[in-house]
């Protein structure tokens, strides 16, 4: 590796961190367009419980991802929500990368109670027109508040 390639890897690594942080901010603030923008046009987002093989949620492409945020706005009665990704393991190979993250999320419900989620993100990234985007995002929930697991 050269100094130039090492520097590029650091720049790419930082950009992927920022991408994940934007993803979380957009989820937590119901930013529909911002949420869609962190994904590639053909992105796939899935969610499943760790003890189940099949995802209970699957969305493909920007239109379905926007609809997911709208659904959250209509069905969740939350006054506060925070997704917190941490301990990233990111491997970069040119214009593609993979990443794994732990995740904790907390939400304050309209009735004042708190709900918690713990899990992992397993992601694939692709550089599109010079910007990193999420191409695949698989959320695996390890534990959820009982109300969320139903």
């Amino acid at each position: 590796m050269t100094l130039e390639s090492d520097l590029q890897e650091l720049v790419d690594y930082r950009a992927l961190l920022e991408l994940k942080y934007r993803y979380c901010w957009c989820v937590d603030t119901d930013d529909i367009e911002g949420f869609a923008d962190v994904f590639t046009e053909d992105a796939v987002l899935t969610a499943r419980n760790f003890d189940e093989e099949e995802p209970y949620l699957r969305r493909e492409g920007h239109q379905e991802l926007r609809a997911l945020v709208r659904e959250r706005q209509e069905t969740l009665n939350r006054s506060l929500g925070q997704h917190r990704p941490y301990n990233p393991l990111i491997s970069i190979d040119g214009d593609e990368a993979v990443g794994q993250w732990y995740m904790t999320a907390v939400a304050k419900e309209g009735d004042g109670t708190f709900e918690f989620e713990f899990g992992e993100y397993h992601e694939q990234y692709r550089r599109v027109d010079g910007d990193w985007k999420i191409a695949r995002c698989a959320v695996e929930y390890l534990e959820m508040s009982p109300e969320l697991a139903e």
Side-chain angles (χ1 to χ4, degrees), residues 90-123:
I90 297 173
S91 177
I92 302 166
D93 185 12
D95 289 336
E96 296 185 350
V98 294
Q100 295 176 208
W101 303 73
Y102 289 132
M103 177 271 292
T104 302
V106 60
K108 184 176 182 183
E109 302 301 318
D111 64 2
T113 61
F114 285 88
E115 293 186 352
F116 299 90
E117 303 168 349
F118 304 95
E120 299 175 1
Y121 292 108
H122 300 269
E123 298 178 321

PDB file of all heavy atoms in Angstrom, residues 90-123:
ATOM      1  N   ILE A  90     -15.515  -2.273   9.227  1.00  0.00           N
ATOM      2  CA  ILE A  90     -15.709  -1.880   7.833  1.00  0.00           C
ATOM      3  C   ILE A  90     -14.519  -2.355   7.014  1.00  0.00           C
ATOM      4  O   ILE A  90     -13.371  -2.154   7.406  1.00  0.00           O
ATOM      5  CB  ILE A  90     -15.868  -0.350   7.725  1.00  0.00           C
ATOM      6  CG1 ILE A  90     -17.122   0.102   8.474  1.00  0.00           C
ATOM      7  CG2 ILE A  90     -15.924   0.086   6.258  1.00  0.00           C
ATOM      8  CD1 ILE A  90     -17.271   1.609   8.578  1.00  0.00           C
ATOM      9  N   SER A  91     -14.826  -2.974   5.890  1.00  0.00           N
ATOM     10  CA  SER A  91     -13.793  -3.425   4.958  1.00  0.00           C
ATOM     11  C   SER A  91     -14.074  -2.788   3.603  1.00  0.00           C
ATOM     12  O   SER A  91     -15.164  -2.960   3.044  1.00  0.00           O
ATOM     13  CB  SER A  91     -13.832  -4.949   4.851  1.00  0.00           C
ATOM     14  OG  SER A  91     -12.888  -5.402   3.912  1.00  0.00           O
ATOM     15  N   ILE A  92     -13.092  -2.069   3.083  1.00  0.00           N
ATOM     16  CA  ILE A  92     -13.249  -1.318   1.840  1.00  0.00           C
ATOM     17  C   ILE A  92     -12.435  -1.980   0.743  1.00  0.00           C
ATOM     18  O   ILE A  92     -11.270  -2.328   0.938  1.00  0.00           O
ATOM     19  CB  ILE A  92     -12.787   0.138   2.043  1.00  0.00           C
ATOM     20  CG1 ILE A  92     -13.598   0.794   3.163  1.00  0.00           C
ATOM     21  CG2 ILE A  92     -12.905   0.934   0.738  1.00  0.00           C
ATOM     22  CD1 ILE A  92     -13.006   2.091   3.676  1.00  0.00           C
ATOM     23  N   ASP A  93     -13.067  -2.125  -0.429  1.00  0.00           N
ATOM     24  CA  ASP A  93     -12.391  -2.692  -1.597  1.00  0.00           C
ATOM     25  C   ASP A  93     -12.767  -1.852  -2.818  1.00  0.00           C
ATOM     26  O   ASP A  93     -13.782  -2.110  -3.472  1.00  0.00           O
ATOM     27  CB  ASP A  93     -12.807  -4.150  -1.792  1.00  0.00           C
ATOM     28  CG  ASP A  93     -12.041  -4.834  -2.921  1.00  0.00           C
ATOM     29  OD1 ASP A  93     -11.040  -4.264  -3.412  1.00  0.00           O
ATOM     30  OD2 ASP A  93     -12.458  -5.935  -3.323  1.00  0.00           O
ATOM     31  N   GLY A  94     -11.989  -0.823  -3.065  1.00  0.00           N
ATOM     32  CA  GLY A  94     -12.262   0.055  -4.203  1.00  0.00           C
ATOM     33  C   GLY A  94     -13.545   0.841  -4.001  1.00  0.00           C
ATOM     34  O   GLY A  94     -13.672   1.607  -3.041  1.00  0.00           O
ATOM     35  N   ASP A  95     -14.520   0.629  -4.897  1.00  0.00           N
ATOM     36  CA  ASP A  95     -15.799   1.339  -4.834  1.00  0.00           C
ATOM     37  C   ASP A  95     -16.887   0.545  -4.132  1.00  0.00           C
ATOM     38  O   ASP A  95     -18.070   0.878  -4.230  1.00  0.00           O
ATOM     39  CB  ASP A  95     -16.265   1.722  -6.246  1.00  0.00           C
ATOM     40  CG  ASP A  95     -15.413   2.826  -6.847  1.00  0.00           C
ATOM     41  OD1 ASP A  95     -14.797   3.588  -6.078  1.00  0.00           O
ATOM     42  OD2 ASP A  95     -15.362   2.926  -8.084  1.00  0.00           O
ATOM     43  N   GLU A  96     -16.501  -0.515  -3.438  1.00  0.00           N
ATOM     44  CA  GLU A  96     -17.446  -1.321  -2.663  1.00  0.00           C
ATOM     45  C   GLU A  96     -16.886  -1.530  -1.266  1.00  0.00           C
ATOM     46  O   GLU A  96     -15.670  -1.505  -1.055  1.00  0.00           O
ATOM     47  CB  GLU A  96     -17.709  -2.660  -3.339  1.00  0.00           C
ATOM     48  CG  GLU A  96     -18.375  -2.502  -4.695  1.00  0.00           C
ATOM     49  CD  GLU A  96     -18.737  -3.836  -5.322  1.00  0.00           C
ATOM     50  OE1 GLU A  96     -18.303  -4.887  -4.801  1.00  0.00           O
ATOM     51  OE2 GLU A  96     -19.454  -3.822  -6.334  1.00  0.00           O
ATOM     52  N   ALA A  97     -17.790  -1.743  -0.334  1.00  0.00           N
ATOM     53  CA  ALA A  97     -17.380  -1.975   1.048  1.00  0.00           C
ATOM     54  C   ALA A  97     -18.460  -2.779   1.756  1.00  0.00           C
ATOM     55  O   ALA A  97     -19.610  -2.838   1.303  1.00  0.00           O
ATOM     56  CB  ALA A  97     -17.145  -0.647   1.775  1.00  0.00           C
ATOM     57  N   VAL A  98     -18.075  -3.403   2.862  1.00  0.00           N
ATOM     58  CA  VAL A  98     -19.028  -4.091   3.729  1.00  0.00           C
ATOM     59  C   VAL A  98     -18.806  -3.585   5.149  1.00  0.00           C
ATOM     60  O   VAL A  98     -17.706  -3.167   5.512  1.00  0.00           O
ATOM     61  CB  VAL A  98     -18.885  -5.633   3.670  1.00  0.00           C
ATOM     62  CG1 VAL A  98     -19.259  -6.157   2.292  1.00  0.00           C
ATOM     63  CG2 VAL A  98     -17.490  -6.077   4.051  1.00  0.00           C
ATOM     64  N   GLY A  99     -19.876  -3.632   5.928  1.00  0.00           N
ATOM     65  CA  GLY A  99     -19.765  -3.182   7.301  1.00  0.00           C
ATOM     66  C   GLY A  99     -20.701  -3.922   8.222  1.00  0.00           C
ATOM     67  O   GLY A  99     -21.761  -4.393   7.804  1.00  0.00           O
ATOM     68  N   GLN A 100     -20.289  -4.043   9.459  1.00  0.00           N
ATOM     69  CA  GLN A 100     -21.108  -4.593  10.542  1.00  0.00           C
ATOM     70  C   GLN A 100     -21.064  -3.590  11.681  1.00  0.00           C
ATOM     71  O   GLN A 100     -20.013  -3.014  11.968  1.00  0.00           O
ATOM     72  CB  GLN A 100     -20.536  -5.924  11.038  1.00  0.00           C
ATOM     73  CG  GLN A 100     -20.563  -7.032  10.061  1.00  0.00           C
ATOM     74  CD  GLN A 100     -19.883  -8.274  10.611  1.00  0.00           C
ATOM     75  OE1 GLN A 100     -19.375  -9.052   9.854  1.00  0.00           O
ATOM     76  NE2 GLN A 100     -19.856  -8.482  11.915  1.00  0.00           N
ATOM     77  N   TRP A 101     -22.198  -3.386  12.300  1.00  0.00           N
ATOM     78  CA  TRP A 101     -22.315  -2.444  13.416  1.00  0.00           C
ATOM     79  C   TRP A 101     -23.195  -3.062  14.488  1.00  0.00           C
ATOM     80  O   TRP A 101     -24.154  -3.765  14.183  1.00  0.00           O
ATOM     81  CB  TRP A 101     -23.030  -1.179  12.970  1.00  0.00           C
ATOM     82  CG  TRP A 101     -22.456  -0.429  11.834  1.00  0.00           C
ATOM     83  CD1 TRP A 101     -22.475  -0.785  10.510  1.00  0.00           C
ATOM     84  CD2 TRP A 101     -21.804   0.830  11.898  1.00  0.00           C
ATOM     85  NE1 TRP A 101     -21.881   0.179   9.767  1.00  0.00           N
ATOM     86  CE2 TRP A 101     -21.457   1.181  10.579  1.00  0.00           C
ATOM     87  CE3 TRP A 101     -21.489   1.698  12.943  1.00  0.00           C
ATOM     88  CZ2 TRP A 101     -20.814   2.368  10.287  1.00  0.00           C
ATOM     89  CZ3 TRP A 101     -20.848   2.883  12.643  1.00  0.00           C
ATOM     90  CH2 TRP A 101     -20.505   3.213  11.322  1.00  0.00           C
ATOM     91  N   TYR A 102     -22.913  -2.747  15.738  1.00  0.00           N
ATOM     92  CA  TYR A 102     -23.890  -2.974  16.794  1.00  0.00           C
ATOM     93  C   TYR A 102     -24.826  -1.776  16.798  1.00  0.00           C
ATOM     94  O   TYR A 102     -24.468  -0.682  16.351  1.00  0.00           O
ATOM     95  CB  TYR A 102     -23.226  -3.093  18.160  1.00  0.00           C
ATOM     96  CG  TYR A 102     -22.435  -4.358  18.366  1.00  0.00           C
ATOM     97  CD1 TYR A 102     -21.154  -4.307  18.891  1.00  0.00           C
ATOM     98  CD2 TYR A 102     -22.969  -5.602  18.053  1.00  0.00           C
ATOM     99  CE1 TYR A 102     -20.423  -5.452  19.096  1.00  0.00           C
ATOM    100  CE2 TYR A 102     -22.243  -6.753  18.250  1.00  0.00           C
ATOM    101  CZ  TYR A 102     -20.973  -6.679  18.771  1.00  0.00           C
ATOM    102  OH  TYR A 102     -20.251  -7.817  18.964  1.00  0.00           O
ATOM    103  N   MET A 103     -26.022  -1.982  17.306  1.00  0.00           N
ATOM    104  CA  MET A 103     -27.015  -0.918  17.338  1.00  0.00           C
ATOM    105  C   MET A 103     -27.817  -0.985  18.633  1.00  0.00           C
ATOM    106  O   MET A 103     -28.188  -2.065  19.092  1.00  0.00           O
ATOM    107  CB  MET A 103     -27.964  -1.061  16.143  1.00  0.00           C
ATOM    108  CG  MET A 103     -29.097  -0.050  16.099  1.00  0.00           C
ATOM    109  SD  MET A 103     -30.609  -0.545  16.975  1.00  0.00           S
ATOM    110  CE  MET A 103     -31.200  -1.875  15.977  1.00  0.00           C
ATOM    111  N   THR A 104     -28.038   0.178  19.188  1.00  0.00           N
ATOM    112  CA  THR A 104     -28.971   0.342  20.293  1.00  0.00           C
ATOM    113  C   THR A 104     -29.906   1.473  19.898  1.00  0.00           C
ATOM    114  O   THR A 104     -29.463   2.478  19.355  1.00  0.00           O
ATOM    115  CB  THR A 104     -28.240   0.723  21.605  1.00  0.00           C
ATOM    116  OG1 THR A 104     -27.290  -0.291  21.908  1.00  0.00           O
ATOM    117  CG2 THR A 104     -29.216   0.859  22.756  1.00  0.00           C
ATOM    118  N   ALA A 105     -31.182   1.288  20.137  1.00  0.00           N
ATOM    119  CA  ALA A 105     -32.146   2.351  19.851  1.00  0.00           C
ATOM    120  C   ALA A 105     -33.047   2.503  21.068  1.00  0.00           C
ATOM    121  O   ALA A 105     -33.412   1.527  21.720  1.00  0.00           O
ATOM    122  CB  ALA A 105     -32.972   2.032  18.618  1.00  0.00           C
ATOM    123  N   VAL A 106     -33.383   3.731  21.353  1.00  0.00           N
ATOM    124  CA  VAL A 106     -34.292   4.027  22.454  1.00  0.00           C
ATOM    125  C   VAL A 106     -35.352   4.974  21.920  1.00  0.00           C
ATOM    126  O   VAL A 106     -35.072   5.836  21.090  1.00  0.00           O
ATOM    127  CB  VAL A 106     -33.550   4.634  23.677  1.00  0.00           C
ATOM    128  CG1 VAL A 106     -32.863   5.931  23.313  1.00  0.00           C
ATOM    129  CG2 VAL A 106     -34.489   4.822  24.849  1.00  0.00           C
ATOM    130  N   ALA A 107     -36.570   4.779  22.369  1.00  0.00           N
ATOM    131  CA  ALA A 107     -37.668   5.640  21.943  1.00  0.00           C
ATOM    132  C   ALA A 107     -38.539   5.976  23.137  1.00  0.00           C
ATOM    133  O   ALA A 107     -38.852   5.108  23.959  1.00  0.00           O
ATOM    134  CB  ALA A 107     -38.513   4.944  20.879  1.00  0.00           C
ATOM    135  N   LYS A 108     -38.907   7.239  23.249  1.00  0.00           N
ATOM    136  CA  LYS A 108     -39.858   7.663  24.264  1.00  0.00           C
ATOM    137  C   LYS A 108     -41.225   7.720  23.596  1.00  0.00           C
ATOM    138  O   LYS A 108     -41.439   8.468  22.648  1.00  0.00           O
ATOM    139  CB  LYS A 108     -39.492   9.026  24.837  1.00  0.00           C
ATOM    140  CG  LYS A 108     -40.419   9.449  25.964  1.00  0.00           C
ATOM    141  CD  LYS A 108     -39.986  10.762  26.578  1.00  0.00           C
ATOM    142  CE  LYS A 108     -40.909  11.132  27.729  1.00  0.00           C
ATOM    143  NZ  LYS A 108     -40.538  12.441  28.282  1.00  0.00           N
ATOM    144  N   GLU A 109     -42.112   6.906  24.104  1.00  0.00           N
ATOM    145  CA  GLU A 109     -43.446   6.818  23.537  1.00  0.00           C
ATOM    146  C   GLU A 109     -44.306   7.986  24.009  1.00  0.00           C
ATOM    147  O   GLU A 109     -43.969   8.677  24.972  1.00  0.00           O
ATOM    148  CB  GLU A 109     -44.090   5.487  23.920  1.00  0.00           C
ATOM    149  CG  GLU A 109     -43.299   4.278  23.472  1.00  0.00           C
ATOM    150  CD  GLU A 109     -43.097   4.219  21.973  1.00  0.00           C
ATOM    151  OE1 GLU A 109     -44.038   4.503  21.212  1.00  0.00           O
ATOM    152  OE2 GLU A 109     -41.977   3.894  21.554  1.00  0.00           O
ATOM    153  N   GLY A 110     -45.418   8.180  23.331  1.00  0.00           N
ATOM    154  CA  GLY A 110     -46.332   9.266  23.671  1.00  0.00           C
ATOM    155  C   GLY A 110     -46.855   9.201  25.088  1.00  0.00           C
ATOM    156  O   GLY A 110     -47.190  10.228  25.691  1.00  0.00           O
ATOM    157  N   ASP A 111     -46.917   7.985  25.662  1.00  0.00           N
ATOM    158  CA  ASP A 111     -47.420   7.835  27.037  1.00  0.00           C
ATOM    159  C   ASP A 111     -46.315   8.002  28.080  1.00  0.00           C
ATOM    160  O   ASP A 111     -46.538   7.798  29.270  1.00  0.00           O
ATOM    161  CB  ASP A 111     -48.110   6.483  27.211  1.00  0.00           C
ATOM    162  CG  ASP A 111     -47.170   5.294  27.035  1.00  0.00           C
ATOM    163  OD1 ASP A 111     -45.962   5.502  26.818  1.00  0.00           O
ATOM    164  OD2 ASP A 111     -47.663   4.159  27.110  1.00  0.00           O
ATOM    165  N   GLY A 112     -45.089   8.338  27.625  1.00  0.00           N
ATOM    166  CA  GLY A 112     -43.986   8.569  28.554  1.00  0.00           C
ATOM    167  C   GLY A 112     -43.118   7.365  28.827  1.00  0.00           C
ATOM    168  O   GLY A 112     -42.087   7.486  29.479  1.00  0.00           O
ATOM    169  N   THR A 113     -43.509   6.180  28.358  1.00  0.00           N
ATOM    170  CA  THR A 113     -42.685   4.992  28.557  1.00  0.00           C
ATOM    171  C   THR A 113     -41.563   4.950  27.522  1.00  0.00           C
ATOM    172  O   THR A 113     -41.631   5.591  26.478  1.00  0.00           O
ATOM    173  CB  THR A 113     -43.524   3.701  28.446  1.00  0.00           C
ATOM    174  OG1 THR A 113     -44.095   3.638  27.134  1.00  0.00           O
ATOM    175  CG2 THR A 113     -44.623   3.670  29.497  1.00  0.00           C
ATOM    176  N   PHE A 114     -40.533   4.173  27.856  1.00  0.00           N
ATOM    177  CA  PHE A 114     -39.401   4.019  26.947  1.00  0.00           C
ATOM    178  C   PHE A 114     -39.372   2.598  26.412  1.00  0.00           C
ATOM    179  O   PHE A 114     -39.699   1.644  27.118  1.00  0.00           O
ATOM    180  CB  PHE A 114     -38.085   4.318  27.672  1.00  0.00           C
ATOM    181  CG  PHE A 114     -37.858   5.781  27.917  1.00  0.00           C
ATOM    182  CD1 PHE A 114     -38.345   6.386  29.060  1.00  0.00           C
ATOM    183  CD2 PHE A 114     -37.161   6.542  26.985  1.00  0.00           C
ATOM    184  CE1 PHE A 114     -38.147   7.739  29.283  1.00  0.00           C
ATOM    185  CE2 PHE A 114     -36.959   7.896  27.203  1.00  0.00           C
ATOM    186  CZ  PHE A 114     -37.445   8.498  28.352  1.00  0.00           C
ATOM    187  N   GLU A 115     -38.966   2.471  25.167  1.00  0.00           N
ATOM    188  CA  GLU A 115     -38.772   1.169  24.553  1.00  0.00           C
ATOM    189  C   GLU A 115     -37.342   1.090  24.045  1.00  0.00           C
ATOM    190  O   GLU A 115     -36.768   2.101  23.620  1.00  0.00           O
ATOM    191  CB  GLU A 115     -39.770   0.953  23.416  1.00  0.00           C
ATOM    192  CG  GLU A 115     -41.192   0.856  23.940  1.00  0.00           C
ATOM    193  CD  GLU A 115     -42.181   0.491  22.860  1.00  0.00           C
ATOM    194  OE1 GLU A 115     -41.806   0.457  21.678  1.00  0.00           O
ATOM    195  OE2 GLU A 115     -43.339   0.237  23.211  1.00  0.00           O
ATOM    196  N   PHE A 116     -36.783  -0.112  24.077  1.00  0.00           N
ATOM    197  CA  PHE A 116     -35.382  -0.308  23.711  1.00  0.00           C
ATOM    198  C   PHE A 116     -35.257  -1.407  22.669  1.00  0.00           C
ATOM    199  O   PHE A 116     -35.997  -2.383  22.687  1.00  0.00           O
ATOM    200  CB  PHE A 116     -34.560  -0.686  24.948  1.00  0.00           C
ATOM    201  CG  PHE A 116     -34.586   0.361  26.006  1.00  0.00           C
ATOM    202  CD1 PHE A 116     -35.554   0.353  26.998  1.00  0.00           C
ATOM    203  CD2 PHE A 116     -33.662   1.381  26.005  1.00  0.00           C
ATOM    204  CE1 PHE A 116     -35.591   1.342  27.965  1.00  0.00           C
ATOM    205  CE2 PHE A 116     -33.677   2.372  26.968  1.00  0.00           C
ATOM    206  CZ  PHE A 116     -34.648   2.352  27.953  1.00  0.00           C
ATOM    207  N   GLU A 117     -34.285  -1.234  21.782  1.00  0.00           N
ATOM    208  CA  GLU A 117     -33.947  -2.236  20.775  1.00  0.00           C
ATOM    209  C   GLU A 117     -32.431  -2.419  20.794  1.00  0.00           C
ATOM    210  O   GLU A 117     -31.692  -1.453  20.962  1.00  0.00           O
ATOM    211  CB  GLU A 117     -34.356  -1.772  19.372  1.00  0.00           C
ATOM    212  CG  GLU A 117     -35.810  -1.430  19.232  1.00  0.00           C
ATOM    213  CD  GLU A 117     -36.110  -0.710  17.926  1.00  0.00           C
ATOM    214  OE1 GLU A 117     -35.187  -0.293  17.206  1.00  0.00           O
ATOM    215  OE2 GLU A 117     -37.300  -0.563  17.636  1.00  0.00           O
ATOM    216  N   PHE A 118     -32.003  -3.659  20.622  1.00  0.00           N
ATOM    217  CA  PHE A 118     -30.590  -3.978  20.542  1.00  0.00           C
ATOM    218  C   PHE A 118     -30.399  -4.877  19.338  1.00  0.00           C
ATOM    219  O   PHE A 118     -31.205  -5.787  19.119  1.00  0.00           O
ATOM    220  CB  PHE A 118     -30.107  -4.703  21.803  1.00  0.00           C
ATOM    221  CG  PHE A 118     -30.390  -3.941  23.062  1.00  0.00           C
ATOM    222  CD1 PHE A 118     -31.536  -4.188  23.805  1.00  0.00           C
ATOM    223  CD2 PHE A 118     -29.504  -2.967  23.495  1.00  0.00           C
ATOM    224  CE1 PHE A 118     -31.805  -3.471  24.962  1.00  0.00           C
ATOM    225  CE2 PHE A 118     -29.765  -2.247  24.651  1.00  0.00           C
ATOM    226  CZ  PHE A 118     -30.911  -2.498  25.386  1.00  0.00           C
ATOM    227  N   GLY A 119     -29.367  -4.635  18.554  1.00  0.00           N
ATOM    228  CA  GLY A 119     -29.180  -5.483  17.390  1.00  0.00           C
ATOM    229  C   GLY A 119     -27.903  -5.199  16.650  1.00  0.00           C
ATOM    230  O   GLY A 119     -26.949  -4.615  17.190  1.00  0.00           O
ATOM    231  N   GLU A 120     -27.915  -5.630  15.403  1.00  0.00           N
ATOM    232  CA  GLU A 120     -26.760  -5.483  14.531  1.00  0.00           C
ATOM    233  C   GLU A 120     -27.219  -5.034  13.149  1.00  0.00           C
ATOM    234  O   GLU A 120     -28.309  -5.414  12.699  1.00  0.00           O
ATOM    235  CB  GLU A 120     -26.029  -6.816  14.369  1.00  0.00           C
ATOM    236  CG  GLU A 120     -25.495  -7.374  15.658  1.00  0.00           C
ATOM    237  CD  GLU A 120     -24.885  -8.762  15.478  1.00  0.00           C
ATOM    238  OE1 GLU A 120     -24.862  -9.293  14.337  1.00  0.00           O
ATOM    239  OE2 GLU A 120     -24.422  -9.315  16.487  1.00  0.00           O
ATOM    240  N   TYR A 121     -26.375  -4.245  12.509  1.00  0.00           N
ATOM    241  CA  TYR A 121     -26.542  -3.921  11.098  1.00  0.00           C
ATOM    242  C   TYR A 121     -25.484  -4.706  10.327  1.00  0.00           C
ATOM    243  O   TYR A 121     -24.315  -4.743  10.719  1.00  0.00           O
ATOM    244  CB  TYR A 121     -26.281  -2.436  10.829  1.00  0.00           C
ATOM    245  CG  TYR A 121     -27.282  -1.478  11.402  1.00  0.00           C
ATOM    246  CD1 TYR A 121     -26.964  -0.679  12.488  1.00  0.00           C
ATOM    247  CD2 TYR A 121     -28.545  -1.335  10.827  1.00  0.00           C
ATOM    248  CE1 TYR A 121     -27.864   0.238  12.999  1.00  0.00           C
ATOM    249  CE2 TYR A 121     -29.462  -0.424  11.331  1.00  0.00           C
ATOM    250  CZ  TYR A 121     -29.120   0.358  12.417  1.00  0.00           C
ATOM    251  OH  TYR A 121     -30.011   1.264  12.921  1.00  0.00           O
ATOM    252  N   HIS A 122     -25.890  -5.305   9.221  1.00  0.00           N
ATOM    253  CA  HIS A 122     -24.977  -5.952   8.281  1.00  0.00           C
ATOM    254  C   HIS A 122     -25.219  -5.274   6.942  1.00  0.00           C
ATOM    255  O   HIS A 122     -26.323  -5.363   6.394  1.00  0.00           O
ATOM    256  CB  HIS A 122     -25.243  -7.456   8.208  1.00  0.00           C
ATOM    257  CG  HIS A 122     -25.064  -8.132   9.526  1.00  0.00           C
ATOM    258  ND1 HIS A 122     -23.855  -8.659   9.919  1.00  0.00           N
ATOM    259  CD2 HIS A 122     -25.921  -8.342  10.555  1.00  0.00           C
ATOM    260  CE1 HIS A 122     -23.975  -9.170  11.135  1.00  0.00           C
ATOM    261  NE2 HIS A 122     -25.220  -8.985  11.544  1.00  0.00           N
ATOM    262  N   GLU A 123     -24.188  -4.577   6.429  1.00  0.00           N
ATOM    263  CA  GLU A 123     -24.422  -3.713   5.281  1.00  0.00           C
ATOM    264  C   GLU A 123     -23.400  -3.901   4.170  1.00  0.00           C
ATOM    265  O   GLU A 123     -22.271  -4.316   4.415  1.00  0.00           O
ATOM    266  CB  GLU A 123     -24.410  -2.249   5.725  1.00  0.00           C
ATOM    267  CG  GLU A 123     -25.513  -1.953   6.718  1.00  0.00           C
ATOM    268  CD  GLU A 123     -25.524  -0.528   7.230  1.00  0.00           C
ATOM    269  OE1 GLU A 123     -24.434   0.031   7.467  1.00  0.00           O
ATOM    270  OE2 GLU A 123     -26.619   0.010   7.406  1.00  0.00           O
TER     271      GLU A 123
END
